Amino acid sequence: MIALESFHIQDAPELISNIKDSRSLLQFAGPMYSFPLTTDQLERDLSDENRTLFKIVDDESQNTIGHAQIFLKEKTFLLGRILIWDENNRGKGYGKKVMQELLKYGFSTFNREVAELNVYDWNTGAIECYKKVGFAIDPDIKNEVKIDDETWVSINMKIYRHTFEL
């Protein structure tokens, strides 16, 4: 269905073109990027030895359909900046498959027992997808970010190596 392939700077224009506004950038990447997304911001991530960037490729068409990253932390690895850009491809199982592939990569590559991610609490479709893969909400970790006149609450979810089938 999908494959994770290394993201290179020449892939940046396609990703950038799929981030239409500051709200979609915040949803996709959290507050670390600023709108508009630029090649320079992506180059910083590519040069960070603790980050692994992927493009998500549809096996059948060989088209790039999204983006994802893994950020290596001291005791965990963080899945993030996950985006399937065509809304017509959402709800078709791509998200679950992407999560499984990211976890397979992370647990087989890094010596960590826990993977985590952050998601805005209003993004119920993503939260349900993550739960189907085995993630559980960590009630002790929440963050807030302001956009326009709204406050978005980010929740943390974790999965343990022993509960994930490699």
Side-chain angles (χ1 to χ4, degrees):
M1 175 180 266
I2 63 101
L4 298 177
E5 296 181 6
S6 293
F7 179 90
H8 301 283
I9 202 60
Q10 56 266 33
D11 300 314
E14 186 172 23
L15 172 58
I16 290 167
S17 72
N18 281 286
I19 305 295
K20 306 294 186 211
D21 54 42
S22 59
R23 293 173 75 86
S24 59
L25 179 61
L26 183 61
Q27 180 181 353
F28 158 65
M32 297 307 290
Y33 287 157
S34 59
F35 188 79
L37 183 59
T38 63
T39 302
D40 287 347
Q41 292 175 82
L42 293 166
E43 281 179 334
R44 277 194 300 272
D45 281 355
L46 282 167
S47 67
D48 183 342
E49 65 185 22
N50 290 316
R51 282 195 187 277
T52 307
L53 283 69
F54 300 98
K55 58 184 180 179
I56 302 166
V57 177
D58 180 287
D59 279 340
E60 196 172 302
S61 68
Q62 290 301 301
N63 291 328
T64 300
I65 62 166
H67 180 85
Q69 294 186 18
I70 294 178
F71 178 62
L72 188 60
K73 297 173 72 175
E74 188 175 330
K75 296 183 182 198
T76 68
F77 62 92
L78 179 74
L79 309 184
R81 299 188 178 148
I82 301 162
L83 178 65
I84 304 293
W85 38 69
D86 183 347
E87 290 185 20
N88 294 320
N89 283 331
R90 296 179 191 165
K92 294 185 176 178
Y94 285 109
K96 183 178 178 185
K97 188 65 178 157
V98 168
M99 298 309 294
Q100 290 169 329
E101 291 300 313
L102 287 169
L103 289 167
K104 194 182 305 178
Y105 179 92
F107 282 128
S108 65
T109 304
F110 307 117
N111 184 26
R112 303 292 189 275
E113 294 302 313
V114 181
E116 63 181 308
L117 57 82
N118 297 304
V119 59
Y120 293 109
D121 65 354
W122 51 261
N123 193 348
T124 55
I127 292 167
E128 288 308 309
C129 172
Y130 305 150
K131 284 180 177 178
K132 286 179 186 171
V133 177
F135 280 88
I137 294 171
D138 181 339
D140 297 326
I141 302 176
K142 285 187 179 181
N143 289 296
E144 292 182 352
V145 65
K146 297 220 182 282
I147 183 158
D148 302 326
D149 59 349
E150 298 174 31
T151 300
W152 289 2
V153 177
S154 170
I155 59 174
N156 181 270
M157 299 180 78
K158 290 184 170 58
I159 187 171
Y160 294 84
R161 178 191 297 266
H162 68 272
T163 62
F164 177 71
E165 299 290 325
L166 282 177

